[in-house]
Amino acid sequence: MKQFLQTLFIFLIPALLYCVFGVFILPHRLVISNGPNTQQQIDRSFEDVVKEDYELLILGNSRCYRGINPAILSVKAYNFSHDNDSYNQQYYKLQYLLNKRKKIACLVLGVDYFEFNVLSNSRNYAYADYLGKDYERDYKDKVWELKLKHLLENLNPKQLSLLKKSSVKLPFQRENGQYIRYGTAQESDTIHRDIKRLKIQEEYFHKIISLCRENGIKVFLVMPPVRQNELKSYTKDEINEFNAFINRSIDHKTAVYWNFSEDSSFTTKDYTDITHLNEGAADRFSKMLDDSIKSYIAGFK
């Protein structure tokens, strides 16, 4: 029996060594060839956002995450957005900062026609460490199952093929929270979006507005520019009903809504794909947003 166990242990040594490599070393090596992974982006975001106090916070999905550069804004700001985020994640992120006694004067809250129809668990293996048990109750999945699935994905030997350094410019995350990913949009790009609103996301949207009102936070609801190929997913009546819903949900004093979706100054060359602004266009849009914020604030002086 002893001899069998020794033989089994020797047989398992390569697998054990690979597990150690896959968990503790490979993710850091892959940053060199692929840029930061989702876990690393989220960890850094939560680490950086509490280092300082910011007058303005940005919450939204990937279009805000990549499309708004806090460095362009006139006030000290941090981009706390992330891919696939919707209003439940954004509510608990805001609550997380308020629980950390962070003072926030203004919130840029991203709005998209499809965003209310998203309830994503794809980042919960990372978010569970930060957003708490109440957040987890919105999902049927057990956190440990998601973490195990993520771990097994990291241990997949196919990950080794990603170690080869890419010939394209790597994505990266700025200290101010913005994520930069490169790419070139095509005129033929298409996507299907669903404008339907989930009740749970409507509820969280209203909870964000209420939480901001209770804490004296001015809210700027912002829909970034949208390509015409994406706007084709919606009828004019659907768009009008959506905008009416947003306008009914705010008082236009403590919260205002700016819709840049049909701004004609942004063309295909300003995007990396069907939906995300490239680095230069993100800076232009950030300047437009900053001008809107300054004009709004000046109107109350």
Side-chain angles (χ1 to χ4, degrees), residues 10-165:
I10 293 173
F11 177 77
L12 290 175
I13 284 177
L16 292 172
L17 289 175
Y18 178 77
C19 287
V20 171
F21 172 76
V23 172
F24 298 105
I25 300 175
L26 183 58
H28 301 286
R29 296 293 301 171
L30 287 173
V31 174
I32 299 173
S33 55
N34 294 269
N37 63 30
T38 296
Q39 178 79 59
Q40 291 162 338
Q41 291 174 50
I42 290 174
D43 286 344
R44 180 177 180 184
S45 183
F46 276 86
E47 178 183 344
D48 286 352
V49 73
V50 296
K51 285 181 178 178
E52 300 182 48
D53 289 317
Y54 296 95
E55 186 174 344
L56 184 146
L57 184 73
I58 301 158
L59 288 173
N61 59 18
S62 62
R63 300 210 304 123
C64 288
Y65 188 32
R66 308 177 194 199
I68 301 177
N69 182 1
I72 304 297
L73 304 181
S74 299
V75 298
K76 192 172 183 180
Y78 188 85
N79 192 331
F80 203 25
S81 309
H82 192 74
D83 294 354
N84 278 14
D85 275 8
S86 192
Y87 299 106
N88 62 321
Q89 283 101 355
Q90 292 158 29
Y91 172 78
Y92 286 107
K93 281 184 171 183
L94 178 59
Q95 192 174 68
Y96 174 87
L97 292 178
L98 293 175
N99 288 341
K100 295 282 186 181
R101 300 187 182 280
K102 291 295 178 181
K103 294 182 179 180
I104 303 162
C106 303
L107 172 68
V108 167
L109 184 65
V111 175
D112 268 314
Y113 291 124
F114 64 89
E115 190 170 355
F116 284 87
N117 197 44
V118 175
L119 183 65
S120 175
N121 68 352
S122 62
R123 271 76 177 158
N124 284 0
Y125 62 86
Y127 275 149
D129 294 334
Y130 300 100
L131 300 185
K133 295 297 182 183
D134 288 341
Y135 169 76
E136 293 175 27
R137 293 189 187 99
D138 289 337
Y139 300 89
K140 296 179 180 179
D141 312 86
K142 302 295 184 183
V143 169
W144 70 266
E145 293 175 345
L146 296 171
K147 286 181 174 289
L148 178 60
K149 180 182 178 182
H150 175 64
L151 177 63
L152 293 176
E153 289 173 351
N154 283 343
L155 294 177
N156 189 331
K158 290 182 179 180
Q159 292 279 78
L160 295 174
S161 65
L162 300 176
L163 286 171
K164 182 180 178 181
K165 189 168 179 60

Side-chain angles (χ1 to χ4, degrees), residues 268-284:
T268 303
K269 64 181 178 58
D270 292 312
Y271 292 82
T272 62
D273 50 31
I274 182 62
T275 198
H276 301 110
L277 294 174
N278 60 34
E279 186 177 8
D283 285 353
R284 281 172 43 218

